[in-house]
Amino acid sequence: MINFGSGRKADYRQFNIAVQSGTDDLPPVIDDRLVLVADQMLRVGDTTDSVTFPEPTFSQIKQTGNRKRVRFTACLTPPADLPAGRYVGVITLEGPPGIEPTTVTITANVKDGVGFRIAVVVAGLLAFLVLLYKGANDERGRRLRDLEAANVTRELDGEPNQAYVIAESWSRAAAARLRDPGWLGPSLAAIVSTFGALAAAYLNNPAWGESGLVASATALIGTALAAVGAKELFTASGSR
């Protein structure tokens, strides 16, 4: 199995195969009569479209020291625009009469690194906006409760009391939270914690993005919004 991350550099896998013949050992000049044939590597998955992986290339076939096995190296080079997913194919080693064909399965997992970075930025921004909305709502509530506790009237001479207009302003409440280190520090810590959860989701899925950018990004955003609940762990009870 070969796992390709955000980069798409060529990768190699070495195979050692036992070859059956009519004698105990392979003939010493059998190497040039053995042939490697690769079936098409196709993307597999219940919800993915069929996509073909470029055909692998092979090194020269060599016998091992005991002349009962052969060794070769397969090289896979995914193009930059290859969709994410799990690609599976079969390599067949064929030879002259007396040599039984042998097959090996090769699997390549490809991630969508660019799509992940885009999804992380969007998820992080949405998570921060959720925290800011909650912080601004808490600030508005605190200001209104302070005015009500002080028995400040909502209207003066038939006009809205400016104290209430200011207290109900979402923009002023949000700006106050952004200037408050007691709120900003824990919120940024929660965002950093969220990025850790997103990175874990990416690293634990060798074919991240196989369901498509929209579906994969949506799942990542859901993970981020769930993770920002950790913000409460960093928030002192008096900082709301």
Side-chain angles (χ1 to χ4, degrees), residues 5 29 34-35 60 62 86 90 97 118 136 143 155 163 181 189 237 239:
V29 293
L34 295 175
V35 179
Q60 182 180 359
K62 295 182 179 181
R86 186 165 66 95
V90 175
I118 294 173
R143 293 182 176 188
E155 293 185 357
S237 59
S239 66

Side-chain angles (χ1 to χ4, degrees), residues 107-183:
T107 301
N109 294 312
V110 181
K111 294 184 179 184
D112 183 0
V114 174
F116 173 75
R117 288 191 286 271
I118 294 173
V120 163
V121 171
V122 174
L125 180 60
L126 288 177
F128 184 77
L129 290 176
V130 168
L131 291 176
L132 183 59
Y133 170 80
K134 182 180 183 303
N137 188 53
D138 292 343
E139 177 66 14
R140 287 178 70 251
R142 183 192 65 78
R143 293 182 176 188
L144 291 172
R145 288 193 298 272
D146 289 346
L147 292 177
E148 292 173 356
N151 294 320
V152 177
T153 59
R154 286 187 171 272
E155 293 185 357
L156 291 175
D157 300 327
E159 297 293 332
N161 190 331
Q162 287 302 305
Y164 273 94
V165 173
I166 293 173
E168 292 176 341
S169 171
W170 281 96
S171 60
R172 290 175 183 269
R177 282 306 196 187
L178 291 174
R179 293 192 299 267
D180 178 13
W183 178 86

Side-chain angles (χ1 to χ4, degrees), residues 1-11 13 41-44 48-49 51-54 76-89 106-116 201-213 216:
M1 180 180 295
I2 302 178
N3 294 328
F4 293 94
S6 57
R8 298 295 175 87
K9 296 181 180 180
D11 204 346
R13 283 297 179 272
M41 293 183 63
L42 298 176
R43 185 168 65 167
V44 298
T48 58
D49 296 332
V51 179
T52 302
F53 195 99
L76 298 182
T77 307
D81 59 350
L82 184 70
R86 186 165 66 95
Y87 295 80
V88 178
I106 186 167
T107 301
N109 294 312
V110 181
K111 294 184 179 184
D112 183 0
V114 174
F116 173 75
Y202 178 76
L203 294 174
N204 292 333
N205 185 350
W208 190 92
E210 64 181 329
S211 57
L213 178 57
S216 299

